[in-house]
Amino acid sequence: MNNHKRMRALMGISLVLALSACSANNYVETYAAANDWQSLGEQDALKGHRVRDLSSLVSGDLFAAEQKYSVGYEVGRAEYCDIDKAWQLGNSGQSYFGICDGMPDGNEFRRQYQFGRDEFVLEMERESSADGFGFGY
């Protein structure tokens, strides 16, 4: 791949990441504006985020909002922590913030994630070495 094509590819990836970061924050604003704390909790867990502090978002009953958020978070967490998805999560290069720890299959989830992550890192090293931009190994 020549430098011009490489730069265009990097610019395209950067644009996609920037746009996805904007849309990632929009869901928080949308659910907060609607006082839909259960959906916010579920989406946070489905995205692998740790439990969010709602105190800066809630203008009303914080305790009630936290209760609803917690219910949604556990629903999303159960789906996110599906052991069959762990390897793919790691292999896609996504970060894992430990939200499955403490669950019955939490240790196995982390182990499968790490297997996928290790394979992802090896593939990135192979690709960068083939491009002449290796990690110096």
Side-chain angles (χ1 to χ4, degrees):
M1 182 181 271
N2 67 33
N3 285 336
H4 186 263
K5 286 183 181 178
R6 188 182 319 262
M7 285 301 291
R8 287 182 66 197
L10 287 173
M11 293 294 285
I13 291 170
S14 297
L15 179 62
V16 168
L17 290 174
L19 290 173
S20 66
C22 291
S23 66
N25 289 330
N26 285 342
Y27 84 92
V28 175
E29 295 167 7
T30 300
Y31 290 131
N35 289 318
D36 189 352
W37 307 114
Q38 185 167 338
S39 294
L40 177 60
E42 185 173 350
Q43 285 305 305
D44 277 352
L46 287 171
K47 293 178 184 309
H49 299 303
R50 293 186 186 116
V51 172
R52 177 184 303 273
D53 177 9
L54 299 179
S55 60
S56 65
L57 297 172
V58 176
S59 59
D61 185 351
L62 180 60
F63 181 75
E66 288 174 337
Q67 292 293 321
K68 291 174 184 172
Y69 178 90
S70 181
V71 168
Y73 191 86
E74 289 307 314
V75 168
R77 184 174 152 196
E79 185 175 334
Y80 178 89
C81 295
D82 180 343
I83 198 83
D84 294 329
K85 297 177 182 177
W87 182 89
Q88 180 57 39
L89 179 71
N91 191 254
S92 67
Q94 295 181 47
S95 297
Y96 171 60
F97 299 107
I99 73 165
C100 304
D101 295 352
M103 294 185 78
D105 288 331
N107 290 337
E108 183 62 17
F109 185 93
R110 183 177 287 278
R111 197 168 79 84
Q112 292 299 320
Y113 167 82
Q114 194 60 53
F115 286 147
R117 181 70 177 189
D118 291 346
E119 192 168 315
F120 170 79
V121 169
L122 286 173
E123 183 60 29
M124 292 297 102
E125 289 175 354
R126 278 194 292 271
E127 286 180 15
S128 65
S129 294
D131 287 344
F133 295 102
F135 292 123
Y137 298 112

